Amino acid sequence: MRILYVGDCSPLSTSGFRAAALRRLGHEVETLDISTSRVVGSGRIWNKVHFLSGYKLLQSSVQRMLRDFSTLVRKFDVAWVDSGELLGLDAVLQLKQISSKVVLYNHDDPTGPRDWQRFASLRTALPAYDLCCVVRHENVDEFRNLGAPHVLRVWRSYDETGHSPFLSLDDIPSQFRSEVSFVGAMIPGEGRDEFMVGLIRRGVPVSIWGSNWRRSRFWSELEHCYRGSKMLGREYVAAIQGAKISIGLLSKGNRDLHTTRSLEIPYIGSTFCAERTREHIELFKDGVEATFWSSVDECADVCLELLGDENRRRKIANAGAVAVRQLGVGNEDICRNVLQAG
């Protein structure tokens, strides 16, 4: 199949991983990097302006990029739009002129309350897509109510190659090894910093990697646990696999009941320790393939218990690694299902 992949095509991004997965499935994939860094640039003020205006001011630039590109190519079987926040209705209609089918894959929450303005252009384009793929049950009806003709709910995914674990723990550099890790950003208003402080005060040896943590009002208590900023590629895998336990936090503003970490962590090989939700329970057996909690105190109890019982911790990590491979939630699995659903 001849596929045009439209989105962030940087090789270490989750979007780039999906493009690579389509190639591994044997498809001919051509990429068109329409991403915020490519179209908006790096200016902080303009980034914020475009984000809050739903990228409406960029539509002429996006359409010009598509018009210039379309003169150079022959027709595609599928145009796969990853995220899609930069493409309004006219841009998607342009894609339909060079592709037999246009698919949207979005694992954010375009119809949720947190980033409503960000996805203003995307929502206008939903009726033009032949298939829209979402990761929340709520999004299915919300997309349909906005005119999307065909909506498919999928799980998030790990990448079979990009997240492949190191063959031996000895291969992981010492700076990426820890007892309990959290790899992720500090999101204002989400309480992640307060949660981590709660673990620290209970004596949990936490290591934190990610952006924005210095902005926390608890920075004086978090600073000694902070190990570095945003992680990509093999460093990201090392920070997770190098931890005996990996904490999984959700975005409440984004209506998350599972995240990409929910699948990446067990696949990479750490013990997954996350909030107890119906989707996490659907994915993994609690206490057998992963460990779940409903409060910071329960999370601390689970972490301290598992750190004191290495045999049980390893059994859970190994069982989680087996379970996630049997779920069919690798990028290749998800990409195959999306193409078949169209």
Side-chain angles (χ1 to χ4, degrees):
M1 190 176 291
R2 181 169 160 76
I3 299 174
L4 172 63
Y5 192 90
V6 183
D8 182 355
C9 300
S10 54
L12 297 182
S13 67
T14 55
S15 175
F17 284 158
R18 279 185 285 276
L22 288 167
R23 289 194 180 96
R24 293 197 300 270
L25 291 173
H27 300 292
E28 178 187 347
V29 180
E30 186 161 348
T31 57
L32 179 58
D33 195 345
I34 296 184
S35 57
T36 52
S37 60
R38 180 77 180 274
V39 180
V40 181
S42 57
R44 188 172 181 179
I45 294 177
W46 277 110
N47 265 300
K48 189 169 185 179
V49 168
H50 290 307
F51 184 97
L52 293 175
S53 64
Y55 301 99
K56 293 178 181 178
L57 301 176
L58 288 176
Q59 290 310 298
S60 60
S61 297
V62 171
Q63 290 168 36
R64 186 167 52 252
M65 287 180 66
L66 288 170
R67 187 166 54 250
D68 293 343
F69 176 81
S70 65
T71 63
L72 304 174
V73 301
R74 57 188 174 90
K75 197 172 178 70
F76 295 91
D77 299 303
V78 175
W80 178 301
V81 177
D82 203 274
S83 182
E85 64 200 73
L86 300 184
L87 278 69
L89 175 60
D90 289 340
V92 176
L93 291 175
Q94 281 183 268
L95 285 177
K96 299 197 84 165
Q97 295 176 12
I98 60 171
S99 178
S100 301
K101 179 171 62 179
V102 183
V103 171
L104 171 68
Y105 176 97
N106 185 290
H107 69 180
D108 289 301
D109 192 4
T111 49
R114 192 186 77 178
D115 296 332
W116 180 259
Q117 286 302 112
R118 172 187 174 189
F119 294 105
S121 294
L122 177 148
R123 288 192 296 273
T124 68
L126 293 181
Y129 284 101
D130 297 289
L131 173 66
C132 295
C133 302
V134 298
V135 298
R136 292 168 185 77
H137 290 290
E138 299 93 331
N139 292 145
V140 175
D141 286 338
E142 291 165 354
F143 270 50
R144 287 173 178 161
N145 290 339
L146 289 169
H150 185 188
V151 186
L152 175 69
R153 189 259 174 176
V154 298
W155 292 103
R156 288 182 173 88
S157 52
Y158 63 83
D159 190 74
E160 295 87 346
T161 299
H163 297 127
S164 60
F166 288 86
L167 294 178
S168 170
L169 291 177
D170 294 335
D171 297 332
I172 299 175
S174 59
Q175 66 265 32
F176 298 117
R177 300 186 191 185
S178 64
E179 298 293 295
V180 178
S181 75
F182 174 70
V183 182
M186 197 283 287
I187 303 174
E190 291 278 350
R192 291 182 169 189
D193 51 350
E194 188 172 3
F195 187 92
M196 289 298 155
V197 167
L199 294 180
I200 292 167
R201 291 173 180 173
R202 285 287 311 274
V204 178
V206 178
S207 294
I208 299 170
W209 284 270
S211 57
N212 297 331
W213 288 93
R214 287 186 174 86
R215 297 168 56 188
S216 169
R217 62 192 176 98
F218 299 105
W219 177 244
S220 61
E221 293 185 75
L222 294 167
E223 185 174 7
H224 75 282
C225 299
Y226 186 66
R227 303 280 290 274
S229 59
K230 186 176 180 179
M231 311 285 288
L232 293 171
R234 300 309 289 166
E235 289 187 350
Y236 172 77
V237 174
I240 289 178
Q241 191 178 356
K244 294 179 180 178
I245 300 170
S246 290
I247 302 292
L249 297 182
L250 305 172
S251 171
K252 301 298 188 298
N254 234 14
R255 301 189 293 182
D256 285 343
L257 293 178
H258 82 289
T259 71
T260 54
R261 301 275 194 283
S262 305
L263 306 163
E264 292 165 359
I265 289 171
Y267 179 75
I268 290 169
S270 185
T271 305
F272 183 45
C273 182
E275 185 173 346
R276 186 178 289 108
T277 69
R278 67 172 184 270
E279 290 183 3
H280 277 155
I281 292 172
E282 186 177 348
L283 288 165
F284 303 108
K285 297 176 183 176
D286 190 4
V288 178
E289 298 166 342
T291 56
F292 301 132
W293 42 264
S294 298
S295 68
V296 64
D297 285 329
E298 186 179 5
C299 180
D301 289 341
V302 168
C303 288
L304 293 173
E305 179 185 346
L306 290 179
L307 289 175
D309 190 343
E310 185 71 7
N311 184 54
R312 179 166 180 259
R313 185 196 64 77
R314 286 183 178 274
K315 284 183 177 179
I316 293 173
N318 292 337
V322 171
V324 77
R325 286 163 171 78
Q326 294 175 340
L327 286 169
V329 290
N331 274 334
E332 294 172 21
D333 300 305
I334 299 299
C335 288
R336 186 184 296 109
N337 292 340
V338 169
L339 293 178
Q340 290 174 349

